[in-house]
Amino acid sequence: MTMSYVTEAADLFLSLNANVPILSPEDYLIIAEWEKQEIPLSLILKSIRDHWAGNIPMESLTILRLEVKANYAAWLNESEQGQYLAVGES
């Protein structure tokens, strides 16, 4: 587990939610799980920001699990399409 990955995700979440002074152990496990799955940190940060942009309160990262999973699947799909285009262009 890379501390910068965890720290950046945790810091962003906490900076947006003044009602949550620290992350729960479960939240740290969620971030570690995302890192283990090699979900790009930029995608995690974007998912957190996008959720907050909708003014939906969030006391835990648990609520983002499905959103991150969907965003990651879309990102993978876009990446694969880009690879196929690049291969076809050769």
Side-chain angles (χ1 to χ4, degrees):
M1 177 167 52
T2 306
M3 289 311 295
S4 63
Y5 187 103
V6 173
T7 301
E8 284 191 54
D11 286 351
L12 178 61
F13 176 79
L14 293 172
S15 72
L16 293 172
N17 192 350
N19 296 328
V20 178
I22 60 171
L23 287 183
S24 71
E26 182 179 0
D27 287 328
Y28 280 107
L29 287 174
I30 290 169
I31 297 170
E33 181 180 305
W34 290 335
E35 184 180 27
K36 185 176 179 181
Q37 294 171 4
E38 298 182 359
I39 298 174
L41 178 60
S42 59
L43 194 140
I44 301 300
L45 301 178
K46 181 181 182 327
S47 296
I48 294 170
R49 285 187 195 103
D50 288 352
H51 187 87
W52 277 100
N55 292 322
I56 302 168
M58 178 172 49
E59 293 183 11
S60 170
L61 291 170
T62 303
I63 196 167
L64 280 181
R65 276 185 155 158
L66 292 177
E67 190 171 334
V68 166
K69 186 176 181 177
N71 289 342
Y72 184 50
W75 180 82
L76 285 174
N77 188 39
E78 290 171 11
S79 296
E80 288 174 4
Q81 287 178 358
Q83 287 179 351
Y84 293 136
L85 289 175
V87 169
E89 293 170 353
S90 302

